[in-house]
Amino acid sequence: MKYNIFLMLSILFFVSPTSSQEKVYETKNVFLKPNSKKNESFALPDQKNGDLMLIMSGKNSVKGVLLDNSFNEKNNIDAEPLPSKYKNFIGYNVKDDIYSILFTNDKKSKYGALRFNNKKGTFLERKLDFKLKKELYVESIVYNNNTYLLTITKRTSDLNIYKFDSNFVPEKHTVSLKEVEFAKIPGSSIISTAFSLMTRNADSYGNTVQNLSKIESHNPNIIEKTAKKVKLYQRNNIIIFSFDDNPEKTDLFYIDLDTFTISRHKAYDKVSKERKKYKKHNSYLFDDKLFQIASSNEIMSFRILDLKTDRTLKEFIVKKMDSITFKNSAIIQEKKGKKSFGIEIGKTKDSLGIKIDKIREYEKTSKFLKNISVANLGIAVYNVDGLYNVVLGGTKEYITDKGLIIAAVLTGGALLASGDGLYTIPNRADPTYTHFNSTLGNYYSYNAVQNATKSTYINCLFDQNLKHVDGQVPLNTFDRIKDFEKTLDKPRAVNIFNYKNKIYYNYLDKDNGQFQLFKFE
């Protein structure tokens, strides 16, 4: 699902690639084999002094280039190839111009570190004596140049936070999310714990939680991702967990990474506690506001709360015979995926080769409510051109040749490995997954979904006072990057990342061996 209807907006709002991006850095000869699909790149911003470390990894070589905050080269290091046994890049530490990358294997059973010492111009690989015990991997966070690894103890509500120092020695802290627990059925002794809410069952056969999405609000996020009932947000030193499985309330836990304590826990009533009236609920946190949605096939309610005052700022109630007066698009139903729904699909392809089955438009509110009432309900919010672009809808997933299931929705990337955020980078035969970089995963999930999904949604625009604004939805940064990418000839080593609150795109031109970095406004 995309925020904009490209077939319409490419005509009405086409933006020339040259007007939306600026080249800030380029270099040559960073890969021994520029045409290799195994070439890949990473970006490691120094969150304290603004330096930027670019890692260019090929099959037989690795180069690290250190740039200052004006994109001037400070140093470069030639190193050995990255170890293939560690495919998951989950975080990094920076101290005194020493950049250390934390890796793990697919099973999360082994961990290793790769260190680039820009003072000595050296490179070091080491294994870590670190293992998870009766825990599942939840997420990783990079804050203040340190990696924080989050886990959940099995069958409990204990969240563990491992802070890794510059030598990747972990320091463990545990906080309790017990206040999120509730009876699965009113009056029942069977309790839903934070663990069961993250895994959607009493236990998990995998190594990573499946019912959680890591949200980066400066990126567009799709309904397929925001329909998850457990979400993780980061605001500098504060991480926020939101839980929406409880039919009566949304729980927000604010955890301070400096003190490893819950600085605030707040439970907000759902739009309605009438279970017969509203079948589905969900929420989205943006700009100190809680955007809530509840729906059935008869009615939908959309509400915005001020988290500073707990005051309702805006509320809309729509019944199936009503017109949706605050929408800025038709009701869109989008089916997409490879050979989805058991048939050969349309011939239109995007730049990643993911085929789109069909896009339909509806006008009847009853059709909209009917579709989202049997799907995973979601809401997403993004700031574009000073306006709130709010997307309301639902999504469900198809398994090819097995018919329709309503399942956990796809949460990002051109290929989902496990949990949220493990993304296969296109054009790579043996890719390294980047777990900490949600910007990259958000971009590819925004433009392509590997599994077959059917999403129904509307776009809405509101000004900063939450007054509805008429007009077409403007193009966002990902739309502009997509337009730019269409002008490239099979770019290699693509990376998209956030740096100093801007989105950057780098790639390797396989024909001339030029590695280029662009800033997008």
Side-chain angles (χ1 to χ4, degrees), residues 346-363:
K347 297 182 181 296
T348 302
K349 298 182 181 181
D350 64 15
S351 60
L352 298 179
I354 304 299
K355 301 176 182 180
I356 295 177
D357 184 16
K358 61 178 65 176
I359 296 177
R360 292 180 177 177
E361 296 184 6
Y362 299 100
E363 290 298 332

Side-chain angles (χ1 to χ4, degrees), residues 130-135 149 151-153 158-164 169-175 260:
F130 173 75
K131 291 185 178 182
L132 300 182
K133 298 179 180 179
K134 298 181 179 180
E135 304 164 67
L149 191 150
T151 72
I152 190 78
T153 301
D158 290 338
L159 180 77
N160 307 299
I161 306 173
Y162 293 91
K163 179 184 177 181
F164 289 87
V169 176
E171 178 184 286
K172 183 179 180 180
H173 303 266
T174 300
V175 297
F260 302 100

